[in-house]
Amino acid sequence: MQFPDLNLLYALDVLLEEGSVAAAARRMSLSAPAMSRTLARIRETVGDPILVKSGRGLTPTPRALALREEVRDAVERSRQLLRPEAGLDMATLERSFNVRASDIYTGAFGQALIERVRKEAPHVRVRFSPENDSTEPVLRDGSVDIFITSLRPMGPDMHVQTMFTTQIVGVAREGHPIFAGEITPQRVAAFDHISVSRMGKVSGPIDTELAALGLSRRVSVVVPNSLAGMFMLGGTDLIVAVPDLMAAEALRQGLKLRAFTLFPLEPLVVMQSWHPRYQNDAAHRWLRKIVREVCAPDARASE
């Protein structure tokens, strides 16, 4: 398939407006012979003389007159498309964003993010989907705008921004027997546990650390996310290990729980990632900015 030379469209617009090869040449910074050759190409492409001699000037043909408004509109639309993006009016912006996010982020900062969105851009919709271990290229195929997850390879061409780190802590109900004495690995292992795993796994880093000490724990419940684990503690003597930021948010929301320090575990580094197609998109830049700002240390301290 042969594509038309769109430069001819701009030249035709000028020729129809000026009605003169010489005047059109001056406007387009061309020589008169070059403009004449361009007119010849337009005539060949359109299959019409476009401009014909009339006395000392040129007169547009009926075909040219019929095309004039369409040509003008097409040129103006192309200029609008190629013009730098104007500043966004967040108060009137209507757009939907798909955010795939770990429960670490949604549990600790989801409320703060939505409050910012509703305040700054009330017509914007944010659709969250849960993090999973799928290898589908969701950023590349455009089904996800921002991916918020623990640090992981996202592909060599993806943009990645580290946002915060979080430690894993133990959580139990207020009045749990574990708080009656010093909290040691032996006492942690003595109680039944809730395991948090998107894949339904019973063991994880905690079991590795306990095994190094010659200890093991009994996992009696497996849940897909930390929030479910904390809500299940209730009046039980179960223990769940969750990110410290989520534990702090649960306590802030009034859950009658207490957090305690476990043995040293590798901290989790949480990042946001996006496809290069959105790097200079103004609305996407705004969302990335507030996604990061609501979890900044100074923002957390002000809550």
Side-chain angles (χ1 to χ4, degrees), residues 3-65:
F3 292 96
D5 183 353
L6 295 182
N7 289 321
L8 298 181
L9 189 66
Y10 292 91
L12 176 56
D13 180 51
V14 174
L15 281 164
L16 292 176
E17 186 174 338
E18 295 292 342
S20 163
V21 170
R26 285 193 296 270
R27 277 188 53 182
M28 299 192 69
S29 300
L30 296 173
S31 66
M35 197 72 232
S36 294
R37 290 193 295 272
T38 299
L39 176 56
R41 291 181 59 202
I42 292 171
R43 287 166 169 165
E44 181 181 357
T45 301
V46 176
D48 185 88
I50 298 298
L51 295 170
V52 296
K53 287 185 178 181
S54 177
R56 294 186 177 182
L58 296 174
T59 299
T61 65
R63 170 71 168 152
L65 292 173

Side-chain angles (χ1 to χ4, degrees), residues 91 95-96 150 247 250 283 288:
R95 184 160 169 179
S96 292
S150 302
R288 299 195 307 262

Side-chain angles (χ1 to χ4, degrees), residues 140-199:
R140 192 179 308 280
D141 67 20
S143 58
V144 168
D145 297 295
I146 294 177
F147 200 152
I148 303 173
T149 182
S150 302
L151 196 60
R152 65 162 80 175
M154 298 301 293
D157 53 342
M158 299 301 163
H159 292 280
V160 174
Q161 182 182 56
T162 299
M163 297 193 294
F164 60 89
T165 60
T166 182
Q167 296 284 345
I168 300 299
V169 297
V171 176
R173 65 173 174 86
E174 288 184 354
H176 191 289
I178 198 168
F179 299 118
E182 181 184 358
I183 298 177
T184 63
Q186 289 77 12
R187 295 191 66 231
V188 169
F191 295 96
D192 280 12
H193 285 244
I194 297 175
S195 174
V196 178
S197 170
R198 296 188 305 272
M199 304 297 291

Side-chain angles (χ1 to χ4, degrees), residues 20-299:
S20 163
V21 170
R26 285 193 296 270
R27 277 188 53 182
M28 299 192 69
S29 300
L30 296 173
S31 66
M35 197 72 232
S36 294
R37 290 193 295 272
T38 299
L39 176 56
R41 291 181 59 202
I42 292 171
R43 287 166 169 165
E44 181 181 357
T45 301
V46 176
D48 185 88
I50 298 298
L51 295 170
V52 296
K53 287 185 178 181
S54 177
R56 294 186 177 182
L58 296 174
T59 299
T61 65
R63 170 71 168 152
L65 292 173
L67 287 173
R68 178 177 295 179
E69 290 303 318
E70 290 185 54
V71 170
R72 178 96 288 275
D73 288 346
V75 169
E76 184 57 32
R77 285 198 300 272
S78 67
R79 285 175 178 160
Q80 292 290 338
L81 287 172
L82 298 176
R83 184 174 297 165
E85 187 175 26
L88 285 179
D89 181 1
M90 303 309 301
T92 60
L93 176 66
E94 295 188 16
R95 184 160 169 179
S96 292
F97 291 98
N98 293 319
V99 178
R100 177 164 292 183
S102 67
D103 68 323
I104 300 174
Y105 186 88
T106 54
F109 306 111
Q111 179 181 343
L113 176 65
I114 295 307
E115 287 175 354
R116 281 285 300 272
V117 170
R118 289 177 61 82
K119 179 181 178 182
E120 297 180 19
H123 302 291
V124 164
R125 177 187 296 113
V126 180
R127 181 183 293 109
F128 287 103
S129 60
E131 180 188 18
N132 56 41
D133 291 329
S134 170
T135 58
E136 295 177 0
V138 292
L139 291 175
R140 192 179 308 280
D141 67 20
S143 58
V144 168
D145 297 295
I146 294 177
F147 200 152
I148 303 173
T149 182
S150 302
L151 196 60
R152 65 162 80 175
M154 298 301 293
D157 53 342
M158 299 301 163
H159 292 280
V160 174
Q161 182 182 56
T162 299
M163 297 193 294
F164 60 89
T165 60
T166 182
Q167 296 284 345
I168 300 299
V169 297
V171 176
R173 65 173 174 86
E174 288 184 354
H176 191 289
I178 198 168
F179 299 118
E182 181 184 358
I183 298 177
T184 63
Q186 289 77 12
R187 295 191 66 231
V188 169
F191 295 96
D192 280 12
H193 285 244
I194 297 175
S195 174
V196 178
S197 170
R198 296 188 305 272
M199 304 297 291
K201 296 179 180 179
V202 174
S203 62
I206 290 177
D207 301 278
T208 302
E209 292 296 327
L210 287 173
L213 299 171
L215 301 170
S216 64
R217 63 174 180 162
R218 180 177 181 273
V219 173
S220 57
V221 181
V222 180
V223 295
N225 58 69
S226 299
L227 286 175
M230 287 189 288
F231 276 109
M232 284 185 177
L233 293 175
T236 74
D237 286 342
L238 292 166
I239 291 172
V240 67
V242 302
D244 57 0
L245 293 173
M246 294 192 67
E249 179 63 16
L251 270 60
R252 192 178 76 85
Q253 295 287 350
L255 293 185
K256 296 185 181 302
L257 305 173
R258 285 180 62 182
F260 58 90
T261 302
L262 288 167
F263 30 81
L265 293 169
E266 191 73 21
L268 298 176
V269 180
V270 177
M271 66 180 193
Q272 65 171 330
S273 183
W274 62 93
H275 193 277
R277 71 168 70 88
Y278 294 123
Q279 177 66 9
N280 295 314
D281 181 277
H284 199 279
R285 285 202 310 268
W286 163 79
L287 182 61
R288 299 195 307 262
K289 176 176 176 286
I290 64 173
V291 161
R292 187 166 188 249
E293 284 181 352
V294 297
C295 58
D298 54 346

